[in-house]
Amino acid sequence: MLYAIIGREAPGALPRRRAARAAHLARLHELVTAGRLVLAGPLPAIDAPDPGPAGFAGSLVVAEFDSLVAAAAWADADPYVAERVFSSVEVHPYIKVLP
């Protein structure tokens, strides 16, 4: 099943996000290689493709996991969680309707 993982950015997290980005992306590439990633990306804090110093409001990942427990465990092990980039993480079952 698909799951949406929504990480909410912690205040002042931009430097920590930049430092942990390579490790975060490496985990996402593992999902790509396994054919399980639907989409992933940051949520800019302002209406701009490059928010600059405004940073991000968080991130969204939609991927396939065996269960909600497995999706939550994957999210909990993310470098952005370990480095306190995210103040909270939500994991929800997701049903893709379109396209």
Side-chain angles (χ1 to χ4, degrees):
M1 180 161 188
L2 295 178
Y3 295 88
I5 300 169
I6 305 162
R8 304 290 180 183
E9 200 89 353
L14 188 56
R16 295 189 304 278
R17 174 185 274 272
R18 288 179 177 147
R21 186 170 190 263
H24 171 74
L25 291 177
R27 292 185 80 237
L28 290 170
H29 283 291
E30 291 174 5
L31 292 177
V32 170
T33 300
R36 296 172 36 206
L37 185 67
V38 174
L39 62 87
L43 306 169
I46 61 173
D47 189 11
D50 180 358
F56 299 92
S59 295
L60 170 65
V61 173
V62 176
E64 184 179 347
F65 293 93
D66 291 334
S67 66
L68 180 60
V69 170
W74 185 90
D76 287 344
D78 193 89
Y80 281 1
V81 172
E83 297 301 322
R84 300 175 340 273
V85 173
F86 296 149
S87 61
S88 67
V89 177
E90 301 172 27
V91 181
H92 300 277
Y94 178 80
I95 299 171
K96 183 178 176 184
V97 176
L98 295 171

